[in-house]
Amino acid sequence: MLTEWLGESSIVGMVLSGSFIAKLVLVILALMSALSWAVIIIKTLQHINIRKDNQKFYQIYLNESSLNQIKRVSADFPYSAFASMYSATYQEATRMSQRIQRSTPDINENTSMLPHFSQQLQRVIEQNINERYAFIENRLNILATISSAAPFIGLFGTVLGIINSFQSIGTSGVTSLASVAPGISEALVATAAGLLAAIPALMAYNYFRNQTRILANTMRNYGMELTNRFEWIVHGQLLGSK
């Protein structure tokens, strides 16, 4: 079995007996593949933690009536995009309601400021969504780069291998297929390695991009729900008892 894997006719044997350029190309592709798999594992764990914390926090958000209590428990969900949005919105809503109360005691004037209050909350929520989106999308450019560059790097190694094979034909003068086949086989290994590095990276990139878009839409829906809840409370008591 070992001789089958290490023999000159095997893939491993061809790699070990290949030229320096061929080995360098394969090493680069191996490093790119390892990097892509590291990113895939990191992003998978990240999305699992985000979904888990989002579900837990959202249940608390629905069942808890005290805004202060929700704010206190939001720190227990560091991966939750919902918790981050709530914390930023709560702080802005508290600051604005206090400013409105200090500005004038007239309830009519305070009520007239509610549209501005709503717009400010929406800006804070949108800013938080953009920040979380950038955080979740982080490292996806690595997968995109590997998926697009790896096949060309493999093709580069293949082209060099074929050139070397034809140069050896010209030098030796032997034109039989048996003399060319080992060099071409060695060259094609680089193309196969490039595809092996690119395909998982491309599939993972498309999957995580789709998951990121879904999460962004979920955050926007939650942001509208959050705005409505704070507007209702501020309209009633300007965060008085809450």
Side-chain angles (χ1 to χ4, degrees):
M1 180 66 68
L2 184 60
T3 57
E4 293 178 358
W5 281 98
L6 297 179
E8 292 184 359
S9 60
S10 67
I11 295 178
V12 176
M14 286 188 292
V15 171
L16 295 177
S17 62
S19 63
F20 172 76
I21 297 297
K23 291 179 181 177
L24 179 62
V25 168
L26 292 176
V27 168
I28 293 174
L29 291 174
L31 293 176
M32 293 175 70
S33 179
L35 179 60
S36 69
W37 279 106
V39 173
I40 290 171
I41 293 173
I42 291 173
K43 300 304 291 185
T44 300
L45 296 176
Q46 184 184 76
H47 279 268
I48 290 174
N49 290 329
I50 289 174
R51 284 195 296 266
K52 187 185 301 182
D53 277 8
N54 275 348
Q55 292 175 356
K56 292 180 179 178
F57 177 80
Y58 190 66
Q59 289 300 319
I60 296 175
Y61 172 81
L62 293 178
N63 299 327
E64 180 61 58
S65 59
S66 172
L67 300 182
N68 291 329
Q69 181 61 27
I70 299 175
K71 173 63 173 63
R72 281 193 291 267
V73 301
S74 64
D76 299 333
F77 303 97
Y79 294 101
S80 174
F82 291 171
S84 175
M85 292 172 60
Y86 181 88
S87 179
T89 306
Y90 179 89
Q91 293 175 1
E92 182 65 20
T94 303
R95 184 184 65 82
M96 291 192 65
S97 65
Q98 291 174 351
R99 187 176 65 183
I100 292 173
Q101 288 176 328
R102 288 195 301 266
S103 63
T104 173
D106 190 348
I107 188 62
N108 292 326
E109 294 187 22
N110 285 342
T111 304
S112 66
M113 297 180 67
L114 286 176
H116 174 69
F117 178 87
S118 176
Q119 293 174 2
Q120 183 64 22
L121 287 186
Q122 291 174 4
R123 284 193 289 267
V124 171
I125 289 173
E126 188 64 27
Q127 179 182 2
N128 191 268
I129 290 175
N130 292 335
E131 291 174 354
R132 298 296 296 187
Y133 187 88
F135 171 75
I136 297 168
E137 202 179 31
N138 188 30
R139 298 190 182 95
L140 290 185
N141 60 320
I142 297 176
L143 296 178
T145 301
I146 292 174
S147 65
S148 59
F152 291 102
I153 295 175
L155 183 61
F156 172 76
T158 298
V159 171
L160 291 181
I162 293 176
I163 290 174
N164 290 333
S165 297
F166 281 108
Q167 284 180 341
S168 66
I169 292 175
T171 302
S172 63
V174 180
T175 59
S176 64
L177 182 61
S179 64
V180 181
I184 294 179
S185 299
E186 174 191 329
L188 292 176
V189 171
T191 299
L195 293 176
L196 286 176
I199 292 173
L202 178 61
M203 296 176 64
Y205 174 78
N206 290 331
Y207 173 77
F208 289 126
R209 282 282 294 177
N210 184 57
Q211 291 298 310
T212 302
R213 293 191 187 99
I214 293 174
L215 182 58
N217 291 332
T218 304
M219 287 191 293
R220 288 189 174 90
N221 292 335
Y222 177 72
M224 290 186 290
E225 182 179 344
L226 196 59
T227 302
N228 292 335
R229 182 166 183 174
F230 276 102
E231 281 182 351
W232 179 80
I233 292 174
V234 171
H235 187 273
Q237 298 181 354
L238 292 175
L239 293 179
S241 61
K242 300 293 184 181

